[in-house]
């Protein structure tokens, strides 16, 4: 990307009434990230050192939600139109740099498209991002005479001939800050909406002999805005499809590119297979040759190579070592670190625990605040009782321990190397190495015992 100075102004003061939400429109999430944050990240990708965001409606919450050192906020109050919005940013701009105007509710514009527009503008042209669409309703139309752009006319101000024009104004443009300083203060609001239209700068540019050029997006969704929940959902699908394509291009096998959701950053090694219905949040990495089965949720976690995550697993802030097998129906909570070749089976919950290699926790267990060694076998229904209602305590289970089914380990407690706990044990004191420890009541049988009989009704 170019390093020559660039002003970026993001217009985000509009009310967004059609979202029918208390949340400001530009804070609505797309792929788990606010619409405005998408726009800001794209601007940063262009090398913008400072970005000016014009806020109005819900401005305080917008500012609070997206704090960043490289943003300058300009408040537009009241909102009198796009031209008036840009005017509020004018004092904050580097007067010697071109200015790129973006909309806070148009999240998916690609950096390459904007770079083409910036290049087209050069130092002193006015460059408009325009597109030919089949349904131009609602957009400003690009009026050309002999192929040259002469002005933009808004839908509400257009006559029938102008409405028939299929080239529309996306709203995104580049102009020098110096030119904007000349044009913006002279805008009027004598139009159908009584607003100061930014689009009127085109006629001003033409009148003073400034060249007006156009560039076009590679795809129409790049310039689509979000005005309601339906458009938001549509762009979410477009974005997810793009993410899926990029994953497949990188060699990931997807059972269905339409049924994966990545709300963050997913990095995969080679030959990873992802079945349908998997959702990824935050930063997730998956090692080579691993398989994620249907309907798993993974958030901020790293999955090693050769791992099998079986269906319906929930994994958050956790690490899974190489060649491990997890699930189906397993939950790895924050602080879980599994070494290599660990097996965690169905209906097991693990929290804030490390499990060394080759250990198995295969059925119906809760392991919390535990340090577990290698080659440990945890029987079905084992529970670490880590919480006394006020404080939490650790359980230590050393290498080669065998824990019988339905055992409770009352922390703090240590099970030393090679120990065996009999099924049903409630362990309240440390278990010594290499011995059988069992706390269960002795089994007895009562000869001649009779079952109670129902008393007969008289
Ligand atoms: C605008 C363009 C139109 C273009 C269309 C593309 C004008 C006059 N018209 O129309 O040519 O086809 O976008 O979607 O520019 N905003 C403010 N302050 C305001 C008004 C708007 O910050 O006072 C912001 C909004 O938050 C939004 C953007 O500017 O991000 C566009 O505003 P919007 O009301 O959607 O403009 P349109 O009427 O759609
Ligand atoms: Mg609009």
């Amino acid at each position: 990307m170019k390093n020559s100075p660039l002003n970026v102004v993001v217009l985000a003061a509009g009310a967004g009434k059609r979202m029918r939400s208390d949340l400001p429109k530009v804070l609505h999430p797309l792929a788990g990230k606010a619409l405005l944050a998408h726009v800001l990240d794209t601007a940063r990708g262009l090398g913008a050192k400072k970005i000016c965001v014009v806020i109005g409606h819900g401005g305080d919450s917008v500012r609070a939600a997206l704090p960043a050192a490289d943003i300058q906020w300009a408040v537009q109050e009241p909102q009198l139109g796009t031209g008036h919005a840009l005017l509020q940013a004018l004092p904050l701009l580097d007067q010697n740099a071109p200015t790129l105007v973006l909309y806070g509710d148009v999240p998916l514009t690609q950096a390459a498209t904007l770079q083409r527009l910036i290049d087209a503008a050069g130092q002193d042209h006015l460059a408009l991002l325009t597109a030919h669409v089949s349904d131009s309703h609602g957009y400003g139309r690009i009026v050309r005479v002999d192929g040259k752009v002469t002005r933009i006319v808004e839908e509400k101000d257009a006559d029938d001939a102008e409405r028939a024009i299929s080239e529309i104004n996306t709203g995104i443009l580049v102009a020098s800050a110096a030119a904007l300083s000349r044009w913006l203060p002279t805008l009027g609001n004598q139009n159908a909406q009584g607003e100061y239209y930014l689009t009127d700068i085109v006629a001003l540019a033409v009148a003073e002999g400034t060249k007006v050029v156009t560039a076009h997006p590679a795809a129409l969704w790049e310039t689509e805005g979000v005005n309601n929940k339906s458009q938001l959902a549509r762009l979410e699908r477009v974005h997810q499809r793009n993410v899926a394509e990029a994953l497949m291009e990188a060699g990931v096998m997807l059972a269905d590119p339409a049924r994966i959701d990545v709300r963050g950053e997913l990095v995969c090694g080679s030959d990873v297979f992802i079945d349908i219905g998997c959702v990824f949040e935050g930063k997730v990495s998956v090692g080579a040759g691993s398989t994620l089965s249907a309907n798993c949720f993974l958030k901020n976690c790293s999955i090693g190579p050769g791992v099998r995550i079986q269906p319906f697993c929930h994994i958050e802030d956790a690490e899974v070592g190489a060649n491990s097998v997890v699930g189906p129906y397993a939950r790895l909570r924050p602080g879980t670190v599994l070494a290599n070749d660990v097996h965690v089976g169905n209906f097991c919950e693990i929290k804030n625990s490390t499990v060394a290699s080759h250990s198995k926790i295969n059925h119906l267990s809760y392991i919390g605040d535990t340090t577990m060694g290698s080659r440990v076998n945890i029987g079905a229904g084992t529970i670490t009782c880590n919480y006394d209602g006020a404080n939490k305590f650790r359980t230590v289970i050393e290498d080669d321990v065998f824990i019988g089914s339905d055992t409770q380990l009352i922390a703090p407690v240590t099970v030393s190397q090679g120990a065996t706990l009999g099924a049903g044990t409630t362990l309240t004191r440390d278990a010594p190495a290499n011995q059988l420890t069992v706390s269960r009541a002795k089994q007895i049988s009562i000869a001649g015992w009779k079952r109670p009989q129902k008393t007969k009704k008289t």
Side-chain angles (χ1 to χ4, degrees):
M1 291 297 153
K2 301 249 166 108
N3 280 324
S4 46
L6 173 72
N7 297 309
V8 175
V9 180
V10 183
L11 304 187
K17 280 199 198 93
R18 283 176 284 163
M19 295 301 278
R20 298 192 184 279
S21 170
D22 290 337
L23 187 68
K25 175 162 76 173
V26 292
L27 291 185
H28 278 73
L30 185 142
K33 187 164 98 175
L35 294 173
L36 178 57
H38 283 269
V39 179
L40 296 174
D41 285 348
T42 307
R44 290 176 182 127
L46 291 164
K49 291 284 169 283
K50 263 191 204 154
I51 303 165
C52 179
V53 182
V54 182
I55 47 175
H57 272 277
D60 288 340
S61 31
V62 174
R63 204 193 308 226
L66 298 168
D70 60 351
I71 301 180
Q72 292 181 296
W73 305 94
V75 177
Q76 185 200 19
E77 194 68 61
Q79 290 83 43
L80 301 177
T82 49
H84 178 253
L86 188 54
L87 187 63
Q88 313 310 308
L90 214 47
L92 300 172
L93 304 183
D94 173 351
Q95 287 299 305
N96 300 311
T99 301
L100 168 66
V101 178
L102 301 173
Y103 287 180
D105 55 4
V106 178
L108 298 184
T109 321
Q110 305 206 64
T113 294
L114 296 174
Q115 191 61 58
R116 279 203 307 282
L117 188 71
I118 293 164
D119 293 344
Q123 285 308 305
D124 46 17
H125 302 333
L126 169 59
L128 308 172
L129 191 69
T130 75
H132 288 273
V133 298
S134 52
D135 179 10
S136 55
H137 183 82
Y139 288 103
R141 310 297 205 283
I142 305 295
V143 180
R144 289 179 187 264
V145 175
D146 297 330
K148 289 206 174 83
V149 178
T150 58
R151 61 195 175 95
I152 296 177
V153 59
E154 293 301 299
E155 167 94 19
K156 288 186 177 139
D157 300 285
D159 60 29
D160 286 347
E162 289 161 342
R163 283 205 184 112
I165 297 171
S166 68
E167 187 181 9
I168 59 103
N169 172 35
T170 65
I172 295 169
L173 58 83
V174 177
S176 76
L180 291 174
S181 303
R182 289 197 302 278
W183 301 330
L184 293 176
T186 71
L187 292 177
N189 64 351
Q190 305 299 303
N191 52 54
Q193 303 183 81
E195 287 183 2
Y196 295 91
Y197 289 165
L198 175 56
T199 44
D200 284 350
I201 66 171
V202 177
L204 294 175
V206 171
E208 69 169 33
T210 293
K211 198 169 170 195
V212 181
V213 296
T214 55
H216 313 290
L220 283 178
W221 48 255
E222 285 190 64
T223 59
E224 279 177 35
V226 172
N227 295 301
N228 56 42
K229 299 264 162 82
S230 169
Q231 288 168 343
L232 179 62
R234 194 192 113 67
L235 287 185
E236 175 82 34
R237 284 305 103 207
V238 168
H239 175 75
Q240 292 301 341
R241 182 73 203 201
N242 291 343
V243 172
E245 290 297 335
L247 286 169
M248 291 188 294
E249 218 162 277
V252 179
M253 269 180 291
L254 300 179
D256 182 353
R259 283 184 287 173
I260 174 173
D261 283 79
V262 181
R263 301 174 192 143
E265 194 189 311
L266 171 61
V267 178
C268 294
S270 57
D271 296 307
V272 166
F273 173 77
I274 301 175
D275 210 334
I276 60 161
C278 290
V279 176
F280 301 86
E281 289 190 2
K283 283 196 169 186
V284 176
S285 65
V286 182
S290 289
T291 292
L292 307 185
S293 299
N295 301 313
C296 291
F297 175 88
L298 287 85
K299 180 172 182 177
N300 295 325
C301 58
S302 89
I303 309 294
V307 168
R308 261 192 302 143
I309 308 288
Q310 315 237 57
F312 300 101
C313 288
H314 190 286
I315 303 178
E316 181 172 353
D317 290 308
E319 291 172 33
V320 177
N323 304 312
S324 292
V325 181
V326 177
Y329 299 100
R331 180 169 183 211
L332 306 183
R333 290 173 52 201
T336 298
V337 179
L338 309 183
N340 62 305
D341 187 37
V342 168
H343 290 205
V344 175
N346 37 228
F347 308 110
C348 293
E349 174 182 346
I350 306 184
K351 184 215 76 169
N352 192 28
S353 297
T354 58
V355 179
S357 43
H358 316 297
S359 288
K360 296 190 169 108
I361 309 156
N362 268 332
H363 326 272
L364 302 151
S365 286
Y366 172 62
I367 303 296
D369 302 316
T370 295
T371 305
M372 193 183 297
S374 291
R375 297 171 302 278
V376 169
N377 195 310
I378 303 286
T382 296
I383 306 287
T384 56
C385 308
N386 59 328
Y387 184 51
D388 63 5
N391 296 299
K392 295 205 168 129
F393 302 95
R394 282 202 84 77
T395 297
V396 177
I397 301 171
E398 295 183 354
D399 292 346
D400 299 298
V401 162
F402 182 98
I403 296 191
S405 297
D406 195 26
T407 293
Q408 303 101 53
L409 299 103
I410 316 277
V413 74
T414 295
V415 184
S416 291
Q417 187 160 355
T420 300
L421 302 189
T425 291
T426 299
L427 193 73
T428 52
R429 283 173 285 127
D430 293 352
N434 302 314
Q435 293 182 28
L436 170 66
T437 298
V438 58
S439 73
R440 145 187 10 132
K442 274 232 156 57
Q443 180 170 323
I444 56 166
S445 300
I446 300 173
W449 179 81
K450 292 266 180 326
R451 282 187 188 169
Q453 301 287 316
K454 260 197 180 151
T455 42
K456 281 199 179 113
K457 282 195 184 126
T458 49

